Amino acid sequence: MKVTEHIKNAKGKTQVSFEVLPPLKGQNIKGIFDSIEPLMEFNPPFIDVTYHREEYEYKDAGNGLWEKRVVRKRPGTVGICSAIQNKFKVDAVPHILCGGFTKEDTENFLIDLDFLGIDNVVALRGDAVKNETYFKAEPKGNKYASELVAQISDLNNGIYLDPELENTSKTDFCIGVAGYPEKHMEAPNFDTDLKFLKQKIDNGAEYIVTQMFFDNTKFFEFVKRCREIGIDAPIIPGLKPLATLNQLNLLPHRFKVDLPDELVAEVLKAKDNAAIRQIGIDWCIQQSKELIQAGLPIIHYYSMGKADNIKKIIQSSL
């Protein structure tokens, strides 16, 4: 079932969804199953599976030459989504990136998803790899998420890269995209960021999932500004509970999110990470309750393989 259909079926009751990471190379899927199992009692309408692009390393090959080697650190998202759908009978939503893909790679990826009966995708540009300062697209790849959305929409209309292909069929993907209540870190200002978001919607995206935020007023203002410029797609709030002291610096730096003064003050007074973890849970519970009271049909939790704190939050919120 499509994410937009799940939203329509909520009928005034807030549902919860989750996002998980593929296991590290050398690990099996049991870790993912173990992280999902405790959350299935909440009947999630869908589970997102992130994608981590291939990374490169350079090894000294001698004679002044360096050998470029591809390092794939996590198994493929397609297989993981198929396994999740088969085991839990819940819709799995794979992330698909511009980074690391040519347009042909993207088309083949989408064909595989369609073959497996996966109805939803989240289209993202992706981040720069570790050895690059700025994001660089593949020579024959999509540069922006809006271009990726357009390619997926083309397949939904039966338009393939090779116009001479015969006996092709239309796909029917429901396309989700990311939204940033505090603007994308690379956008020059908020208005420009919203303009880019509207372009993704205009190109065929059907719903938005937000980056994490810790101040609900920023989410509500983001929704208001989206509506003012004609973005009428459903907007799903994304939440992540704070868990460690290091995240006070890591999250603002990596994701460009502001942490409220009250939350920071509580964390700095905490004696250890166990206390910080509880503070993060309590804060996220209050966020969740306010969003539920506002009538949001779905709240998306960035569980990232950690089920215990997410379970406590949902139990205390619903």
Side-chain angles (χ1 to χ4, degrees):
M1 184 182 294
K2 295 183 178 182
V3 169
T4 49
E5 293 174 328
H6 285 300
I7 293 172
K8 291 177 182 177
N9 291 340
K11 297 179 180 178
K13 182 179 180 181
T14 300
Q15 305 174 90
V16 293
S17 60
F18 315 107
E19 185 161 305
V20 298
L21 287 167
L24 288 168
K25 184 177 180 179
Q27 299 177 357
N28 59 37
I29 202 169
K30 183 178 183 299
I32 283 189
F33 288 165
D34 289 346
S35 69
I36 292 174
E37 193 77 55
L39 302 175
M40 289 307 298
E41 66 177 272
F42 305 113
N43 298 314
F46 60 88
I47 296 172
D48 276 27
V49 181
T50 64
Y51 188 95
H52 287 258
R53 62 184 291 186
E54 294 176 338
E55 296 183 0
Y56 301 101
E57 67 177 8
Y58 291 88
K59 288 198 171 184
D60 189 348
N63 301 320
L65 301 176
W66 290 83
E67 179 185 1
K68 182 179 179 181
R69 299 180 58 189
V70 175
V71 180
R72 189 186 183 103
K73 292 189 175 180
R74 295 181 187 269
T77 298
V78 175
I80 294 169
C81 286
S82 180
I84 288 174
Q85 290 198 160
N86 182 64
K87 181 173 177 63
F88 295 107
K89 311 305 179 188
V90 62
D91 287 309
V93 183
H95 290 188
I96 181 168
L97 309 179
C98 297
F101 285 84
T102 65
K103 290 182 180 180
E104 185 174 355
D105 291 334
T106 296
E107 185 173 280
N108 292 334
F109 185 84
L110 291 165
I111 290 170
D112 285 346
L113 294 176
D114 183 57
F115 180 79
L116 291 170
I118 292 173
D119 299 322
N120 306 281
V121 293
V122 174
L124 305 167
R125 189 202 68 177
D127 299 323
V129 295
K130 290 182 179 179
N131 61 331
E132 295 175 350
T133 303
Y134 301 104
F135 172 83
K136 293 181 181 178
E138 294 298 307
K140 295 183 179 180
N142 294 302
K143 295 181 180 180
Y144 306 106
S146 58
E147 295 179 352
L148 176 56
V149 170
Q151 182 179 2
I152 301 169
S153 295
D154 280 347
L155 276 186
N156 282 349
N157 290 307
I159 302 171
Y160 287 72
L161 295 174
D162 182 355
E164 296 182 3
L165 280 178
E166 298 180 354
N167 301 318
T168 58
S169 59
K170 297 179 180 180
T171 57
D172 191 24
F173 293 110
C174 178
I175 308 169
V177 292
Y180 300 87
E182 298 172 68
K183 97 169 184 61
H184 190 277
M185 65 183 72
E186 296 178 20
N189 57 47
F190 212 113
D191 287 340
T192 303
D193 199 34
L194 289 175
K195 179 181 177 181
F196 293 149
L197 178 59
K198 190 172 188 306
Q199 182 66 57
K200 291 187 279 189
I201 299 299
D202 291 343
N203 285 1
E206 298 178 65
Y207 71 96
I208 299 164
V209 181
T210 75
Q211 176 61 275
M212 70 183 76
F213 56 90
F214 294 87
D215 182 348
N216 283 359
T217 60
K218 294 185 177 180
F219 170 76
F220 293 126
E221 178 63 20
F222 171 72
V223 173
K224 177 176 177 288
R225 294 185 66 175
C226 284
R227 302 310 184 214
E228 288 173 348
I229 65 169
I231 297 175
D232 57 4
I235 301 175
I236 299 172
L239 298 181
K240 176 180 173 62
L242 194 75
T244 66
L245 181 62
N246 288 340
Q247 289 178 343
L248 284 187
N249 296 317
L250 175 64
L251 295 180
H253 172 72
R254 185 171 181 183
F255 299 102
K256 201 185 185 306
V257 296
D258 288 335
L259 300 178
D261 292 341
E262 181 183 350
L263 174 59
V264 173
E266 287 296 314
V267 169
L268 291 177
K269 289 190 298 184
K271 296 180 180 180
D272 52 33
N273 271 341
I276 293 172
R277 188 175 181 83
Q278 186 59 49
I279 291 168
I281 289 172
D282 293 340
W283 188 272
C284 198
I285 288 171
Q286 294 308 311
Q287 281 191 275
S288 300
K289 286 182 175 179
E290 185 177 11
L291 293 170
I292 291 170
Q293 187 174 8
L296 274 298
I298 296 178
I299 299 176
H300 187 69
Y301 291 95
Y302 294 104
S303 57
M304 314 310 277
K306 307 294 184 182
D308 57 334
N309 56 351
I310 302 297
K311 184 172 182 177
K312 291 177 182 177
I313 291 165
I314 298 172
Q315 286 176 330
S316 299
S317 302
L318 293 178

Short mmCIF file of all heavy atoms in Angstrom, two decimals, residues 159-186:
data_model
loop_
_atom_site.label_atom_id
_atom_site.label_comp_id
_atom_site.label_asym_id
_atom_site.label_seq_id
_atom_site.Cartn_x
_atom_site.Cartn_y
_atom_site.Cartn_z
N ILE A 159 8.01 6.05 -19.21
CA ILE A 159 9.09 6.67 -19.98
C ILE A 159 10.43 6.18 -19.46
O ILE A 159 10.83 6.50 -18.34
CB ILE A 159 9.02 8.21 -19.89
CG1 ILE A 159 7.66 8.71 -20.39
CG2 ILE A 159 10.15 8.85 -20.69
CD1 ILE A 159 7.42 10.19 -20.14
N TYR A 160 11.13 5.39 -20.25
CA TYR A 160 12.43 4.83 -19.88
C TYR A 160 13.54 5.62 -20.56
O TYR A 160 13.31 6.41 -21.49
CB TYR A 160 12.50 3.36 -20.27
CG TYR A 160 11.66 2.46 -19.39
CD1 TYR A 160 10.28 2.47 -19.47
CD2 TYR A 160 12.26 1.59 -18.48
CE1 TYR A 160 9.50 1.65 -18.66
CE2 TYR A 160 11.51 0.76 -17.67
CZ TYR A 160 10.12 0.79 -17.77
OH TYR A 160 9.36 -0.02 -16.97
N LEU A 161 14.77 5.40 -20.09
CA LEU A 161 15.91 6.12 -20.66
C LEU A 161 16.09 5.79 -22.13
O LEU A 161 16.46 6.65 -22.93
CB LEU A 161 17.19 5.79 -19.87
CG LEU A 161 17.21 6.27 -18.41
CD1 LEU A 161 18.48 5.75 -17.71
CD2 LEU A 161 17.15 7.79 -18.32
N ASP A 162 15.88 4.54 -22.48
CA ASP A 162 15.99 4.10 -23.88
C ASP A 162 14.61 4.16 -24.52
O ASP A 162 13.75 3.32 -24.24
CB ASP A 162 16.56 2.68 -23.95
CG ASP A 162 16.75 2.20 -25.38
OD1 ASP A 162 16.37 2.93 -26.32
OD2 ASP A 162 17.30 1.10 -25.55
N PRO A 163 14.36 5.14 -25.38
CA PRO A 163 13.02 5.28 -25.97
C PRO A 163 12.65 4.15 -26.91
O PRO A 163 11.49 4.02 -27.30
CB PRO A 163 13.11 6.61 -26.73
CG PRO A 163 14.57 6.77 -27.04
CD PRO A 163 15.30 6.16 -25.89
N GLU A 164 13.63 3.32 -27.28
CA GLU A 164 13.36 2.23 -28.23
C GLU A 164 13.00 0.92 -27.53
O GLU A 164 12.77 -0.09 -28.19
CB GLU A 164 14.57 2.02 -29.14
CG GLU A 164 14.87 3.24 -30.03
CD GLU A 164 16.04 3.00 -30.95
OE1 GLU A 164 16.58 1.87 -30.94
OE2 GLU A 164 16.41 3.93 -31.69
N LEU A 165 13.00 0.93 -26.19
CA LEU A 165 12.61 -0.28 -25.47
C LEU A 165 11.18 -0.66 -25.82
O LEU A 165 10.30 0.18 -25.91
CB LEU A 165 12.72 -0.06 -23.96
CG LEU A 165 14.10 -0.16 -23.32
CD1 LEU A 165 14.01 0.14 -21.83
CD2 LEU A 165 14.72 -1.53 -23.53
N GLU A 166 10.97 -1.96 -26.00
CA GLU A 166 9.64 -2.45 -26.34
C GLU A 166 9.03 -3.21 -25.18
O GLU A 166 9.73 -3.74 -24.32
CB GLU A 166 9.72 -3.36 -27.58
CG GLU A 166 10.23 -2.64 -28.83
CD GLU A 166 10.30 -3.58 -30.02
OE1 GLU A 166 10.06 -4.79 -29.84
OE2 GLU A 166 10.59 -3.09 -31.14
N ASN A 167 7.71 -3.27 -25.17
CA ASN A 167 6.96 -4.02 -24.16
C ASN A 167 7.26 -3.56 -22.74
O ASN A 167 7.32 -4.37 -21.81
CB ASN A 167 7.25 -5.53 -24.30
CG ASN A 167 6.88 -6.06 -25.66
OD1 ASN A 167 5.84 -5.71 -26.22
ND2 ASN A 167 7.74 -6.90 -26.23
N THR A 168 7.46 -2.27 -22.58
CA THR A 168 7.70 -1.74 -21.23
C THR A 168 6.37 -1.55 -20.51
O THR A 168 5.31 -1.50 -21.13
CB THR A 168 8.43 -0.39 -21.31
OG1 THR A 168 7.64 0.54 -22.07
CG2 THR A 168 9.79 -0.54 -21.94
N SER A 169 6.45 -1.43 -19.21
CA SER A 169 5.24 -1.20 -18.41
C SER A 169 5.49 -0.02 -17.47
O SER A 169 6.64 0.30 -17.13
CB SER A 169 4.88 -2.44 -17.60
OG SER A 169 5.94 -2.80 -16.73
N LYS A 170 4.42 0.61 -17.06
CA LYS A 170 4.53 1.73 -16.13
C LYS A 170 4.73 1.22 -14.71
O LYS A 170 4.14 0.22 -14.31
CB LYS A 170 3.25 2.58 -16.18
CG LYS A 170 2.97 3.24 -17.51
CD LYS A 170 1.67 4.03 -17.45
CE LYS A 170 1.36 4.69 -18.77
NZ LYS A 170 0.09 5.47 -18.72
N THR A 171 5.59 1.90 -13.96
CA THR A 171 5.69 1.63 -12.54
C THR A 171 4.61 2.46 -11.82
O THR A 171 3.91 3.27 -12.44
CB THR A 171 7.08 1.99 -12.00
OG1 THR A 171 7.37 3.37 -12.29
CG2 THR A 171 8.16 1.13 -12.67
N ASP A 172 4.51 2.28 -10.51
CA ASP A 172 3.46 3.00 -9.77
C ASP A 172 3.97 3.35 -8.38
O ASP A 172 3.36 3.03 -7.36
CB ASP A 172 2.20 2.15 -9.69
CG ASP A 172 1.01 2.94 -9.16
OD1 ASP A 172 1.01 4.17 -9.30
OD2 ASP A 172 0.09 2.31 -8.60
N PHE A 173 5.13 4.01 -8.34
CA PHE A 173 5.74 4.34 -7.06
C PHE A 173 5.09 5.58 -6.44
O PHE A 173 4.81 6.56 -7.13
CB PHE A 173 7.23 4.61 -7.23
CG PHE A 173 8.04 3.41 -7.60
CD1 PHE A 173 8.60 3.30 -8.86
CD2 PHE A 173 8.24 2.37 -6.70
CE1 PHE A 173 9.35 2.19 -9.22
CE2 PHE A 173 8.98 1.25 -7.05
CZ PHE A 173 9.53 1.16 -8.31
N CYS A 174 4.89 5.52 -5.14
CA CYS A 174 4.55 6.69 -4.35
C CYS A 174 5.88 7.29 -3.89
O CYS A 174 6.67 6.61 -3.22
CB CYS A 174 3.68 6.31 -3.16
SG CYS A 174 3.25 7.67 -2.08
N ILE A 175 6.12 8.55 -4.24
CA ILE A 175 7.44 9.15 -4.03
C ILE A 175 7.42 10.09 -2.83
O ILE A 175 6.64 11.05 -2.78
CB ILE A 175 7.87 9.94 -5.28
CG1 ILE A 175 7.76 9.07 -6.54
CG2 ILE A 175 9.30 10.46 -5.11
CD1 ILE A 175 7.91 9.85 -7.84
N GLY A 176 8.29 9.81 -1.88
CA GLY A 176 8.48 10.70 -0.74
C GLY A 176 9.78 11.47 -0.88
O GLY A 176 10.70 11.03 -1.56
N VAL A 177 9.85 12.64 -0.26
CA VAL A 177 11.06 13.46 -0.28
C VAL A 177 11.29 14.03 1.11
O VAL A 177 10.41 13.99 1.98
CB VAL A 177 10.96 14.60 -1.31
CG1 VAL A 177 10.96 14.06 -2.73
CG2 VAL A 177 9.74 15.48 -1.06
N ALA A 178 12.47 14.57 1.31
CA ALA A 178 12.84 15.16 2.60
C ALA A 178 12.49 16.63 2.64
O ALA A 178 12.58 17.35 1.65
CB ALA A 178 14.33 14.97 2.85
N GLY A 179 12.08 17.09 3.83
CA GLY A 179 11.86 18.51 4.08
C GLY A 179 12.63 18.93 5.32
O GLY A 179 12.89 18.11 6.21
N TYR A 180 13.00 20.20 5.39
CA TYR A 180 13.90 20.66 6.45
C TYR A 180 13.28 21.83 7.20
O TYR A 180 13.32 22.97 6.73
CB TYR A 180 15.26 21.06 5.85
CG TYR A 180 15.93 19.91 5.15
CD1 TYR A 180 15.66 19.62 3.81
CD2 TYR A 180 16.80 19.07 5.84
CE1 TYR A 180 16.26 18.53 3.19
CE2 TYR A 180 17.40 17.98 5.22
CZ TYR A 180 17.11 17.72 3.90
OH TYR A 180 17.69 16.64 3.27
N PRO A 181 12.68 21.57 8.37
CA PRO A 181 12.06 22.65 9.15
C PRO A 181 13.01 23.77 9.52
O PRO A 181 12.58 24.89 9.81
CB PRO A 181 11.56 21.92 10.41
CG PRO A 181 11.34 20.51 9.96
CD PRO A 181 12.44 20.25 8.97
N GLU A 182 14.33 23.48 9.54
CA GLU A 182 15.32 24.51 9.84
C GLU A 182 16.23 24.76 8.65
O GLU A 182 17.35 25.21 8.81
CB GLU A 182 16.10 24.10 11.09
CG GLU A 182 15.19 23.98 12.31
CD GLU A 182 15.87 23.40 13.53
OE1 GLU A 182 16.75 24.09 14.08
OE2 GLU A 182 15.52 22.27 13.93
N LYS A 183 15.77 24.42 7.46
CA LYS A 183 16.41 24.56 6.15
C LYS A 183 17.58 23.60 6.00
O LYS A 183 18.26 23.24 6.96
CB LYS A 183 16.80 26.01 5.83
CG LYS A 183 18.24 26.41 6.11
CD LYS A 183 18.55 27.76 5.52
CE LYS A 183 20.02 28.12 5.70
NZ LYS A 183 20.95 27.20 5.05
N HIS A 184 17.80 23.19 4.74
CA HIS A 184 18.94 22.34 4.42
C HIS A 184 20.23 23.12 4.64
O HIS A 184 20.31 24.32 4.38
CB HIS A 184 18.86 21.87 2.96
CG HIS A 184 19.85 20.80 2.62
ND1 HIS A 184 21.15 21.08 2.28
CD2 HIS A 184 19.72 19.46 2.55
CE1 HIS A 184 21.79 19.96 2.01
NE2 HIS A 184 20.94 18.96 2.18
N MET A 185 21.24 22.44 5.13
CA MET A 185 22.49 23.11 5.50
C MET A 185 23.15 23.83 4.32
O MET A 185 23.91 24.78 4.52
CB MET A 185 23.46 22.09 6.10
CG MET A 185 23.93 21.02 5.14
SD MET A 185 25.01 19.80 5.94
CE MET A 185 23.82 18.92 6.95
N GLU A 186 22.88 23.38 3.10
CA GLU A 186 23.53 23.99 1.95
C GLU A 186 22.68 25.07 1.28
O GLU A 186 23.14 25.76 0.37
CB GLU A 186 23.89 22.92 0.91
CG GLU A 186 24.92 21.91 1.41
CD GLU A 186 25.21 20.83 0.40
OE1 GLU A 186 24.94 21.04 -0.80
OE2 GLU A 186 25.71 19.76 0.80
#
